Amino acid sequence: QQRVETNPNSTMIFTKREVLARGLRLASNRRISTNGGRVPVFIDGARIPFAMSSTVYKDLMAVDLGKLSLSGILNRNPELDPKSIDYLFYGTVIQESRTSNIAREAGMAAGLPISVPSHTISQACISANQAICNGIEKILAGRAEIIVAGGCETFSDLPIRFSRTLRQKLIAFPKASKKGPMGILGLLKGISARDLAPETPAIANYTTGEVMGHSSDRLAGRFGVSREDQDRFAVRSHTLAHLAHKNGLYNQEIIPFQGSFEENGIKGESTFEKLSKLNPAFVKPHGTHTAANSSFLSDGASACIITSLSSALKHEMKPKSVFKSWAFVAVDPFEDLLLGPTFGIAKVLEEAKLSLKDIDVFEIHEAFAGQVLANLAAMNSEKFAKDYLNKGTKMGEIPMEKLNTMGGSLSLGHPFGATGTRLVTTATNRLHREGGKYALIAACADGGLGHAAIIERYDA
């Protein structure tokens, strides 16, 4: 039997045959254990084409990209009346002061009614993941029926500041100017040429002072991941992404920009021989991370619709997947900065009472080839399971034929605030295309954070 919601207050239980008669069924026979029978379902997700920074979106602000993704997801789902949306959660990392609550600004620009509350989430590379899960939990709590979630990022229009000394002088200028020329001249005292240099957003972790690529390089060494392993994985990502686009697989989840589905970071012509000639980018001269086996600076935006099952039925929307288990974790940022996926995956598998062998589709964020391969090694290590996960046995090996089969962040790009929605959308679509039951997504994030989730195919 399966517990299936027919209205917000329903706790009725139907057999699988009865569920089928209603035109909806889960891929498995498990009971959905939720608060009051409320079932959060994924309806649809999409993104504008991810692009290398300072290229196709160079004249747009992040809020513009957000608008494109939000209006796009609404246009793709005309059966959803925007007035029925209860809340918008939207992620971003590098914030523009003029649009500090970019969720609200992008939502209104996209045509969401002004009555839809919205707020912005910033959680490094898992900002959209958190936006989605906040929506899920709001539905489970009975505080919402229909949620729009996603995120955006631009590296083409970074907020570049004056130095602290110059900022302080400028803040004091109105008061000093009241004293006339002498007051202004006095304000200029103490300013050096160095103070005139602009400050760009920091790329090093605030607490550790270490650049993420440097940390990932050390992590790869710790788990014995070679330069060759990383270069071959990066070539694989570009090759698979190129083939996915060539075969039109991404047309299902991309909102074209100016009529184009192209994602210009994909290098289908990449070869191992070409990548092996590049110099280390972080740990010099003997590091293993290069510009090619690391994700590149990207612009992009994404959005998705999640609802309760009853609202999906009411609005004649077709659910694609159900959120079975999800977790956010925090680990030591000094030594385990990018190992969040391993800790998160262990947690959701245990909660869902599943193993890696039960998973049909894996979508793991590719911040660096070395980071992905180090996590795969950790999951397949008896010692790591015992010493760090407090488990008697390792999780096991993830089959490469199930992992990121349409490419990943190394090739598609990684707009920080938008990647989480891409992972869920691609995983869901793969489940339907490949006939699988369960998909597992995972992502690392700066600060030693991580996210993992298991979703289950839902058939209409």
Short mmCIF file of all heavy atoms in Angstrom, two decimals, residues 148-201:
data_model
loop_
_atom_site.label_atom_id
_atom_site.label_comp_id
_atom_site.label_asym_id
_atom_site.label_seq_id
_atom_site.Cartn_x
_atom_site.Cartn_y
_atom_site.Cartn_z
N VAL A 148 8.09 28.01 -5.95
CA VAL A 148 9.06 28.15 -7.03
C VAL A 148 10.42 28.36 -6.37
O VAL A 148 10.54 29.12 -5.41
CB VAL A 148 8.72 29.33 -7.96
CG1 VAL A 148 9.84 29.54 -8.98
CG2 VAL A 148 7.40 29.08 -8.68
N ALA A 149 11.43 27.65 -6.86
CA ALA A 149 12.77 27.74 -6.27
C ALA A 149 13.83 27.71 -7.37
O ALA A 149 13.55 27.29 -8.50
CB ALA A 149 13.00 26.59 -5.28
N GLY A 150 15.03 28.13 -7.03
CA GLY A 150 16.12 28.11 -8.00
C GLY A 150 17.25 29.02 -7.57
O GLY A 150 17.49 29.20 -6.37
N GLY A 151 17.94 29.60 -8.54
CA GLY A 151 19.05 30.48 -8.21
C GLY A 151 19.74 31.01 -9.45
O GLY A 151 19.49 30.54 -10.58
N CYS A 152 20.59 32.00 -9.26
CA CYS A 152 21.29 32.62 -10.39
C CYS A 152 22.67 33.10 -9.94
O CYS A 152 22.95 33.21 -8.74
CB CYS A 152 20.49 33.79 -10.95
SG CYS A 152 20.29 35.16 -9.78
N GLU A 153 23.52 33.38 -10.92
CA GLU A 153 24.86 33.90 -10.62
C GLU A 153 25.44 34.54 -11.87
O GLU A 153 25.20 34.08 -13.00
CB GLU A 153 25.78 32.77 -10.17
CG GLU A 153 26.90 33.22 -9.27
CD GLU A 153 26.40 33.58 -7.88
OE1 GLU A 153 25.70 32.75 -7.27
OE2 GLU A 153 26.70 34.70 -7.42
N THR A 154 26.19 35.61 -11.67
CA THR A 154 26.97 36.17 -12.76
C THR A 154 28.36 36.50 -12.28
O THR A 154 28.55 36.99 -11.16
CB THR A 154 26.32 37.45 -13.34
OG1 THR A 154 27.14 37.94 -14.41
CG2 THR A 154 26.18 38.54 -12.30
N PHE A 155 29.34 36.20 -13.12
CA PHE A 155 30.71 36.64 -12.88
C PHE A 155 31.10 37.69 -13.90
O PHE A 155 32.24 38.13 -13.94
CB PHE A 155 31.67 35.45 -12.95
CG PHE A 155 31.79 34.70 -11.65
CD1 PHE A 155 30.92 33.66 -11.36
CD2 PHE A 155 32.73 35.05 -10.71
CE1 PHE A 155 31.01 32.98 -10.16
CE2 PHE A 155 32.83 34.38 -9.51
CZ PHE A 155 31.96 33.34 -9.23
N SER A 156 30.13 38.09 -14.72
CA SER A 156 30.39 39.12 -15.73
C SER A 156 30.19 40.52 -15.17
O SER A 156 30.60 41.50 -15.79
CB SER A 156 29.45 38.92 -16.93
OG SER A 156 29.71 37.69 -17.56
N ASP A 157 29.53 40.62 -14.02
CA ASP A 157 29.24 41.93 -13.44
C ASP A 157 29.43 41.86 -11.93
O ASP A 157 28.48 41.90 -11.15
CB ASP A 157 27.81 42.35 -13.78
CG ASP A 157 27.48 43.76 -13.30
OD1 ASP A 157 28.41 44.55 -13.14
OD2 ASP A 157 26.28 44.05 -13.08
N LEU A 158 30.68 41.71 -11.52
CA LEU A 158 31.00 41.55 -10.10
C LEU A 158 30.93 42.88 -9.37
O LEU A 158 31.30 43.93 -9.91
CB LEU A 158 32.41 40.97 -9.94
CG LEU A 158 32.63 39.56 -10.48
CD1 LEU A 158 34.11 39.20 -10.37
CD2 LEU A 158 31.78 38.56 -9.74
N PRO A 159 30.49 42.87 -8.12
CA PRO A 159 30.53 44.09 -7.31
C PRO A 159 31.97 44.37 -6.85
O PRO A 159 32.47 43.73 -5.91
CB PRO A 159 29.61 43.77 -6.12
CG PRO A 159 29.66 42.28 -6.01
CD PRO A 159 29.85 41.76 -7.40
N ILE A 160 32.64 45.28 -7.50
CA ILE A 160 34.03 45.63 -7.17
C ILE A 160 34.03 46.89 -6.30
O ILE A 160 33.44 47.90 -6.67
CB ILE A 160 34.86 45.84 -8.44
CG1 ILE A 160 34.88 44.53 -9.26
CG2 ILE A 160 36.27 46.29 -8.12
CD1 ILE A 160 35.56 44.65 -10.60
N ARG A 161 34.67 46.81 -5.13
CA ARG A 161 34.60 47.91 -4.17
C ARG A 161 35.89 48.71 -4.12
O ARG A 161 36.95 48.26 -4.58
CB ARG A 161 34.34 47.35 -2.76
CG ARG A 161 33.13 46.44 -2.67
CD ARG A 161 32.72 46.19 -1.24
NE ARG A 161 33.79 45.66 -0.41
CZ ARG A 161 33.67 45.43 0.90
NH1 ARG A 161 32.53 45.72 1.51
NH2 ARG A 161 34.67 44.94 1.59
N PHE A 162 35.77 49.90 -3.54
CA PHE A 162 36.96 50.66 -3.18
C PHE A 162 37.60 50.00 -1.97
O PHE A 162 36.99 49.19 -1.27
CB PHE A 162 36.59 52.11 -2.85
CG PHE A 162 36.08 52.91 -4.01
CD1 PHE A 162 34.77 53.35 -4.06
CD2 PHE A 162 36.91 53.23 -5.07
CE1 PHE A 162 34.30 54.09 -5.13
CE2 PHE A 162 36.46 53.97 -6.15
CZ PHE A 162 35.15 54.41 -6.18
N SER A 163 38.83 50.37 -1.67
CA SER A 163 39.50 49.87 -0.48
C SER A 163 38.80 50.39 0.77
O SER A 163 38.03 51.37 0.72
CB SER A 163 40.96 50.32 -0.47
OG SER A 163 41.02 51.74 -0.33
N ARG A 164 39.03 49.74 1.91
CA ARG A 164 38.38 50.15 3.15
C ARG A 164 38.71 51.61 3.50
O ARG A 164 37.84 52.39 3.89
CB ARG A 164 38.78 49.24 4.30
CG ARG A 164 38.14 49.63 5.65
CD ARG A 164 38.63 48.74 6.77
NE ARG A 164 38.16 47.38 6.58
CZ ARG A 164 36.98 46.94 7.00
NH1 ARG A 164 36.14 47.77 7.61
NH2 ARG A 164 36.63 45.69 6.82
N THR A 165 39.99 51.98 3.33
CA THR A 165 40.39 53.35 3.65
C THR A 165 39.63 54.36 2.81
O THR A 165 39.11 55.36 3.31
CB THR A 165 41.91 53.53 3.42
OG1 THR A 165 42.62 52.65 4.29
CG2 THR A 165 42.33 54.97 3.69
N LEU A 166 39.54 54.08 1.51
CA LEU A 166 38.85 55.01 0.61
C LEU A 166 37.34 55.02 0.89
O LEU A 166 36.70 56.07 0.82
CB LEU A 166 39.12 54.62 -0.84
CG LEU A 166 38.86 55.71 -1.89
CD1 LEU A 166 39.61 57.00 -1.54
CD2 LEU A 166 39.25 55.21 -3.27
N ARG A 167 36.79 53.85 1.24
CA ARG A 167 35.36 53.80 1.58
C ARG A 167 35.07 54.66 2.80
O ARG A 167 34.08 55.40 2.85
CB ARG A 167 34.92 52.35 1.86
CG ARG A 167 34.97 51.44 0.66
CD ARG A 167 34.11 50.19 0.85
NE ARG A 167 34.42 49.44 2.06
CZ ARG A 167 35.30 48.46 2.13
NH1 ARG A 167 36.01 48.14 1.06
NH2 ARG A 167 35.48 47.79 3.26
N GLN A 168 35.93 54.59 3.79
CA GLN A 168 35.73 55.39 4.99
C GLN A 168 35.80 56.89 4.68
O GLN A 168 35.03 57.69 5.24
CB GLN A 168 36.78 55.01 6.05
CG GLN A 168 36.58 53.62 6.62
CD GLN A 168 37.70 53.19 7.55
OE1 GLN A 168 38.81 53.74 7.49
NE2 GLN A 168 37.42 52.22 8.41
N LYS A 169 36.72 57.24 3.80
CA LYS A 169 36.85 58.66 3.41
C LYS A 169 35.59 59.13 2.67
O LYS A 169 35.10 60.25 2.91
CB LYS A 169 38.07 58.85 2.53
CG LYS A 169 39.40 58.47 3.19
CD LYS A 169 39.79 59.46 4.28
CE LYS A 169 41.19 59.16 4.81
NZ LYS A 169 41.58 60.10 5.90
N LEU A 170 35.08 58.30 1.79
CA LEU A 170 33.90 58.68 1.02
C LEU A 170 32.66 58.79 1.92
O LEU A 170 31.81 59.66 1.72
CB LEU A 170 33.65 57.65 -0.09
CG LEU A 170 34.68 57.65 -1.23
CD1 LEU A 170 34.44 56.46 -2.16
CD2 LEU A 170 34.60 58.96 -2.02
N ILE A 171 32.56 57.91 2.90
CA ILE A 171 31.44 57.99 3.84
C ILE A 171 31.50 59.28 4.65
O ILE A 171 30.47 59.90 4.96
CB ILE A 171 31.44 56.75 4.77
CG1 ILE A 171 31.07 55.49 3.96
CG2 ILE A 171 30.46 56.95 5.93
CD1 ILE A 171 31.26 54.21 4.74
N ALA A 172 32.72 59.69 4.96
CA ALA A 172 32.90 60.91 5.76
C ALA A 172 32.83 62.18 4.93
O ALA A 172 32.79 63.29 5.48
CB ALA A 172 34.25 60.85 6.48
N PHE A 173 32.79 62.04 3.60
CA PHE A 173 32.85 63.22 2.72
C PHE A 173 31.72 64.24 2.95
O PHE A 173 32.00 65.45 3.01
CB PHE A 173 32.86 62.78 1.25
CG PHE A 173 32.92 63.92 0.29
CD1 PHE A 173 34.13 64.55 0.00
CD2 PHE A 173 31.78 64.39 -0.35
CE1 PHE A 173 34.20 65.62 -0.88
CE2 PHE A 173 31.82 65.46 -1.23
CZ PHE A 173 33.04 66.07 -1.50
N PRO A 174 30.45 63.82 3.05
CA PRO A 174 29.39 64.82 3.24
C PRO A 174 29.62 65.72 4.46
O PRO A 174 29.42 66.94 4.39
CB PRO A 174 28.13 63.97 3.41
CG PRO A 174 28.43 62.72 2.66
CD PRO A 174 29.88 62.47 2.94
N LYS A 175 30.07 65.12 5.55
CA LYS A 175 30.32 65.91 6.77
C LYS A 175 31.53 66.82 6.59
O LYS A 175 31.51 68.00 6.99
CB LYS A 175 30.53 64.97 7.95
CG LYS A 175 30.69 65.68 9.28
CD LYS A 175 30.80 64.68 10.41
CE LYS A 175 30.94 65.39 11.76
NZ LYS A 175 31.04 64.40 12.89
N ALA A 176 32.60 66.27 5.94
CA ALA A 176 33.82 67.06 5.75
C ALA A 176 33.58 68.22 4.79
O ALA A 176 34.16 69.30 4.95
CB ALA A 176 34.94 66.16 5.23
N SER A 177 32.73 68.02 3.79
CA SER A 177 32.51 69.07 2.79
C SER A 177 31.82 70.30 3.38
O SER A 177 31.92 71.39 2.84
CB SER A 177 31.68 68.51 1.63
OG SER A 177 30.39 68.11 2.08
N LYS A 178 31.14 70.10 4.50
CA LYS A 178 30.49 71.23 5.15
C LYS A 178 31.51 72.22 5.73
O LYS A 178 31.19 73.37 6.01
CB LYS A 178 29.56 70.74 6.25
CG LYS A 178 28.36 69.95 5.73
CD LYS A 178 27.50 69.46 6.87
CE LYS A 178 26.30 68.65 6.34
NZ LYS A 178 25.45 68.14 7.44
N LYS A 179 32.73 71.76 5.90
CA LYS A 179 33.79 72.61 6.46
C LYS A 179 34.56 73.34 5.35
O LYS A 179 35.55 74.01 5.65
CB LYS A 179 34.75 71.76 7.28
CG LYS A 179 34.09 71.09 8.48
CD LYS A 179 35.10 70.24 9.25
CE LYS A 179 34.44 69.54 10.44
NZ LYS A 179 35.42 68.69 11.20
N GLY A 180 34.09 73.17 4.12
CA GLY A 180 34.74 73.88 3.02
C GLY A 180 35.96 73.16 2.50
O GLY A 180 36.23 72.00 2.83
N PRO A 181 36.77 73.87 1.69
CA PRO A 181 37.96 73.27 1.07
C PRO A 181 38.92 72.65 2.06
O PRO A 181 39.51 71.60 1.80
CB PRO A 181 38.60 74.45 0.33
CG PRO A 181 37.46 75.38 0.07
CD PRO A 181 36.56 75.25 1.24
N MET A 182 39.10 73.28 3.22
CA MET A 182 40.03 72.74 4.21
C MET A 182 39.55 71.39 4.75
O MET A 182 40.36 70.50 5.02
CB MET A 182 40.23 73.73 5.35
CG MET A 182 40.91 75.03 4.91
SD MET A 182 42.51 74.73 4.09
CE MET A 182 43.44 74.02 5.44
N GLY A 183 38.25 71.27 4.91
CA GLY A 183 37.70 70.01 5.38
C GLY A 183 37.93 68.89 4.39
O GLY A 183 38.28 67.76 4.75
N ILE A 184 37.77 69.21 3.10
CA ILE A 184 37.98 68.20 2.06
C ILE A 184 39.45 67.83 1.95
O ILE A 184 39.81 66.65 1.83
CB ILE A 184 37.47 68.74 0.71
CG1 ILE A 184 35.95 68.97 0.78
CG2 ILE A 184 37.81 67.78 -0.42
CD1 ILE A 184 35.37 69.62 -0.44
N LEU A 185 40.32 68.83 2.04
CA LEU A 185 41.76 68.54 1.99
C LEU A 185 42.19 67.67 3.17
O LEU A 185 43.03 66.78 3.04
CB LEU A 185 42.55 69.85 1.97
CG LEU A 185 42.48 70.66 0.67
CD1 LEU A 185 43.17 72.02 0.86
CD2 LEU A 185 43.14 69.88 -0.47
N GLY A 186 41.62 67.94 4.32
CA GLY A 186 41.94 67.14 5.50
C GLY A 186 41.52 65.70 5.32
O GLY A 186 42.16 64.78 5.83
N LEU A 187 40.42 65.50 4.60
CA LEU A 187 39.93 64.15 4.37
C LEU A 187 40.88 63.34 3.48
O LEU A 187 40.97 62.12 3.60
CB LEU A 187 38.55 64.24 3.70
CG LEU A 187 37.70 62.97 3.67
CD1 LEU A 187 37.34 62.55 5.09
CD2 LEU A 187 36.43 63.22 2.86
N LEU A 188 41.60 64.03 2.62
CA LEU A 188 42.50 63.35 1.69
C LEU A 188 43.79 62.88 2.34
O LEU A 188 44.53 62.07 1.77
CB LEU A 188 42.83 64.27 0.52
CG LEU A 188 41.64 64.68 -0.37
CD1 LEU A 188 42.10 65.66 -1.44
CD2 LEU A 188 41.00 63.46 -1.00
N LYS A 189 44.08 63.39 3.53
CA LYS A 189 45.30 62.98 4.23
C LYS A 189 45.24 61.48 4.56
O LYS A 189 44.22 60.96 4.97
CB LYS A 189 45.46 63.78 5.51
CG LYS A 189 45.81 65.25 5.29
CD LYS A 189 45.99 65.96 6.62
CE LYS A 189 46.38 67.43 6.41
NZ LYS A 189 46.54 68.15 7.70
N GLY A 190 46.36 60.84 4.39
CA GLY A 190 46.46 59.42 4.74
C GLY A 190 46.10 58.46 3.62
O GLY A 190 46.20 57.25 3.79
N ILE A 191 45.67 58.99 2.47
CA ILE A 191 45.34 58.11 1.34
C ILE A 191 46.61 57.84 0.53
O ILE A 191 47.29 58.77 0.10
CB ILE A 191 44.27 58.76 0.43
CG1 ILE A 191 42.96 58.94 1.21
CG2 ILE A 191 44.04 57.90 -0.80
CD1 ILE A 191 41.88 59.60 0.40
N SER A 192 46.93 56.59 0.36
CA SER A 192 48.11 56.20 -0.43
C SER A 192 47.67 55.67 -1.78
O SER A 192 46.49 55.41 -2.02
CB SER A 192 48.90 55.13 0.31
OG SER A 192 48.15 53.93 0.40
N ALA A 193 48.63 55.47 -2.66
CA ALA A 193 48.33 54.93 -3.99
C ALA A 193 47.72 53.54 -3.88
O ALA A 193 46.86 53.15 -4.67
CB ALA A 193 49.60 54.90 -4.83
N ARG A 194 48.16 52.79 -2.88
CA ARG A 194 47.64 51.43 -2.68
C ARG A 194 46.14 51.45 -2.36
O ARG A 194 45.40 50.54 -2.71
CB ARG A 194 48.40 50.75 -1.56
CG ARG A 194 48.01 49.29 -1.33
CD ARG A 194 48.87 48.66 -0.26
NE ARG A 194 48.72 49.35 1.02
CZ ARG A 194 49.37 48.99 2.13
NH1 ARG A 194 50.24 48.01 2.08
NH2 ARG A 194 49.19 49.66 3.25
N ASP A 195 45.70 52.51 -1.68
CA ASP A 195 44.28 52.61 -1.31
C ASP A 195 43.38 52.82 -2.52
O ASP A 195 42.16 52.62 -2.43
CB ASP A 195 44.07 53.77 -0.32
CG ASP A 195 44.78 53.54 1.00
OD1 ASP A 195 44.84 52.37 1.43
OD2 ASP A 195 45.28 54.52 1.59
N LEU A 196 43.97 53.22 -3.65
CA LEU A 196 43.17 53.48 -4.84
C LEU A 196 42.88 52.20 -5.63
O LEU A 196 42.07 52.21 -6.55
CB LEU A 196 43.89 54.48 -5.74
CG LEU A 196 44.17 55.86 -5.12
CD1 LEU A 196 44.94 56.73 -6.09
CD2 LEU A 196 42.88 56.54 -4.68
N ALA A 197 43.56 51.12 -5.28
CA ALA A 197 43.35 49.85 -5.98
C ALA A 197 41.99 49.27 -5.60
O ALA A 197 41.60 49.26 -4.43
CB ALA A 197 44.46 48.86 -5.62
N PRO A 198 41.22 48.75 -6.56
CA PRO A 198 39.89 48.19 -6.26
C PRO A 198 39.99 46.84 -5.57
O PRO A 198 41.01 46.14 -5.66
CB PRO A 198 39.26 48.05 -7.65
CG PRO A 198 40.42 47.86 -8.57
CD PRO A 198 41.52 48.71 -7.99
N GLU A 199 38.93 46.46 -4.88
CA GLU A 199 38.84 45.17 -4.21
C GLU A 199 37.80 44.31 -4.94
O GLU A 199 36.64 44.68 -5.02
CB GLU A 199 38.41 45.33 -2.74
CG GLU A 199 39.44 45.94 -1.83
CD GLU A 199 38.96 46.00 -0.39
OE1 GLU A 199 37.80 45.58 -0.13
OE2 GLU A 199 39.71 46.47 0.47
N THR A 200 38.22 43.18 -5.46
CA THR A 200 37.30 42.24 -6.10
C THR A 200 36.82 41.24 -5.05
O THR A 200 37.47 41.08 -4.00
CB THR A 200 37.98 41.49 -7.25
OG1 THR A 200 39.14 40.81 -6.74
CG2 THR A 200 38.41 42.46 -8.34
N PRO A 201 35.71 40.55 -5.28
CA PRO A 201 35.24 39.54 -4.32
C PRO A 201 36.31 38.51 -4.05
O PRO A 201 37.00 38.05 -4.96
CB PRO A 201 34.02 38.93 -5.03
CG PRO A 201 33.54 40.01 -5.93
CD PRO A 201 34.78 40.72 -6.41
#
